[in-house]
Amino acid sequence: MRLSTRGHYGLKAMFDLAQHYGSEPIPLKTVAERQNISDNYLEQLIAILRKAGLVKSVRGAQGGYILARDPGSITVGDIIRAMEGPIAPVECVSEVEPTECDQAGSCITRTVWARVRDRLAEVMDSISLADMLRDAENLSEHKAQEYKQNAPEGGS
Amino acid sequence: MRLSTRGHYGLKAMFDLAQHYGSEPIPLKTVAERQNISDNYLEQLIAILRKAGLVKSVRGAQGGYILARDPGSITVGDIIRAMEGPIAPVECVSEVEPTECDQAGSCITRTVWARVRDRLAEVMDSISLADMLRDAENLSEHKAQEYKQNAPEGGS
DNA sequence: AACAATTCCGAGTTAAACAGTTTGATTTAA
DNA sequence: TTAAATCAAACTGTTTAACTCGGAATTGTT
């Protein structure tokens, strides 16, 4: 039940773009450096996101990438489906074009995987990039708070 | 987000054994035939289940495999963890021994994957083999019912 | 005792996927 | 004109999946 780096890096890149949504296009190299990903490789990955309509590109000098829509309307599910294909723990319960096996009607393991698939889709579709931005803000506030509590006098 | 055949076949085999729980040991070949799995391959897989303590083996003629515990106390999660390792959409949120990356503290994608992992574990741990047996019974009743309704006069 | 049914074990094989790298063409602001 | 960038496609090395195979060890049956 592992994601490949495609989905992993894809989400990282999209989150990076979300953090800079509204300003000039971000060059791929910048994203790659910030997120610690090989820029050669990320180039391939972002092409997938572009073809899926999740990011827009601006070519030429001062070019780069921007989110195609606002962060509130892009979910983790959107990104993962683009990068890894339809959600499906096993082929026979794929979100699109499941190729049924012979005993599909009576297969109980199949119904188990359908439930797993639904939960997976549910959680991924419920988290948008905007949610992640909000979480990031809370997290950093929390950290600052912790810091204050742990070192209120300002140690050397 | 695909399962390998290990987890897929593993659950099938375990469900097959559950359906015959309480009687003599079932030879591997029988399970393989019923579940339509290469018996050479299943041999490897069931070794994993045995080492994980989920099935017991009886060697020699008339030997075979039986569930190590009753079907109510074995969950899909138990089986998948045995077959595929700890549940973890990405390595850094593995259920056991996550190897953290440098920015673990501030990584938001990480918290996303932790949520996905928890949902995944939740649904898998909530389904036991006994639940599946019950579902199978309902399903077959339902089918018989449907059959009655669709062909009450007994077509040719 | 011999035999056949079975588990057990380790090694070998094939094909695909993953995770990139490399090369070079094209676009465009400065 | 140049440098910064995207775009595209081919190439490569490594790992993993999904088996296959051969044979040894165990044990009920005859």
Side-chain angles (χ1 to χ4, degrees):
Chain A
M1 290 307 280
R2 287 271 169 91
L3 223 55
S4 72
T5 56
R6 275 203 281 281
H8 191 183
Y9 293 172
L11 181 59
K12 279 190 155 198
M14 289 294 281
F15 178 66
D16 191 280
L17 293 181
Q19 287 185 300
H20 301 87
Y21 184 64
S23 60
E24 325 84 58
I26 316 290
L28 180 112
K29 210 173 175 183
T30 308
V31 176
E33 261 161 29
R34 274 199 294 244
Q35 299 299 324
N36 202 32
I37 303 172
S38 145
D39 57 338
N40 278 318
Y41 187 35
L42 187 56
E43 209 168 276
Q44 271 182 47
L45 303 186
I46 207 148
I48 301 174
L49 292 167
R50 179 171 46 81
K51 282 165 194 165
L54 294 174
V55 302
K56 282 191 227 169
S57 62
V58 179
R59 301 189 68 171
Q62 322 309 318
Y65 293 92
I66 49 174
L67 292 188
R69 311 194 295 267
D70 79 284
S73 70
I74 299 178
T75 68
V76 174
D78 294 333
I79 298 163
I80 294 307
R81 285 191 189 87
M83 300 307 290
E84 312 245 349
I87 293 171
V90 302
E91 224 287 322
C92 62
V93 299
S94 174
E95 284 180 319
V96 305
E97 293 183 13
T99 62
E100 299 200 340
C101 66
D102 35 350
Q103 320 108 308
S106 61
C107 181
I108 297 303
T109 67
R110 188 166 169 280
T111 72
V112 170
W113 300 127
R115 282 167 68 177
V116 171
R117 176 201 60 202
D118 290 344
R119 287 313 200 84
L120 218 41
E122 194 179 290
V123 61
M124 287 190 183
D125 289 338
S126 76
I127 306 173
S128 72
L129 289 174
D131 294 329
M132 290 174 65
L133 291 173
R134 200 161 31 245
D135 288 352
E137 221 167 287
N138 289 343
L139 191 64
S140 61
E141 264 173 39
H142 219 86
K143 292 222 119 178
Q145 192 67 18
E146 262 176 30
Y147 180 75
K148 266 191 195 166
Q149 289 176 354
N150 291 339
E153 318 291 340
S156 114
Chain B
M1 292 304 280
R2 288 272 169 90
L3 219 59
S4 72
T5 57
R6 276 203 279 282
H8 191 183
Y9 294 173
L11 181 59
K12 280 190 157 201
M14 289 295 281
F15 178 67
D16 190 281
L17 293 181
Q19 288 185 300
H20 301 86
Y21 184 64
S23 60
E24 326 82 60
I26 316 289
L28 180 112
K29 212 174 176 184
T30 307
V31 175
E33 262 162 28
R34 274 200 294 243
Q35 299 299 326
N36 203 31
I37 304 172
S38 146
D39 55 338
N40 277 317
Y41 188 34
L42 188 56
E43 205 169 295
Q44 271 182 46
L45 304 186
I46 209 150
I48 302 173
L49 293 167
R50 180 171 47 80
K51 282 165 193 163
L54 294 173
V55 300
K56 282 190 225 165
S57 62
V58 178
R59 302 190 69 173
Q62 322 310 320
Y65 294 92
I66 51 176
L67 293 187
R69 311 194 293 267
D70 78 286
S73 70
I74 299 177
T75 69
V76 173
D78 294 332
I79 297 163
I80 294 308
R81 286 190 189 87
M83 299 308 291
E84 313 245 349
I87 294 172
V90 303
E91 222 288 322
C92 63
V93 299
S94 174
E95 284 180 319
V96 304
E97 292 182 14
T99 63
E100 300 202 339
C101 67
D102 34 351
Q103 319 110 308
S106 61
C107 180
I108 296 304
T109 67
R110 187 166 169 282
T111 72
V112 169
W113 299 128
R115 282 168 69 177
V116 171
R117 176 202 59 200
D118 290 343
R119 287 314 199 85
L120 218 42
E122 193 179 290
V123 60
M124 287 189 184
D125 289 338
S126 75
I127 306 173
S128 72
L129 290 174
D131 294 330
M132 292 175 66
L133 290 173
R134 201 162 28 245
D135 288 352
E137 221 169 286
N138 289 343
L139 191 63
S140 61
E141 265 173 37
H142 220 84
K143 292 223 120 179
Q145 195 64 18
E146 261 174 31
Y147 180 74
K148 266 193 196 166
Q149 288 173 353
N150 290 341
E153 317 293 339
S156 112

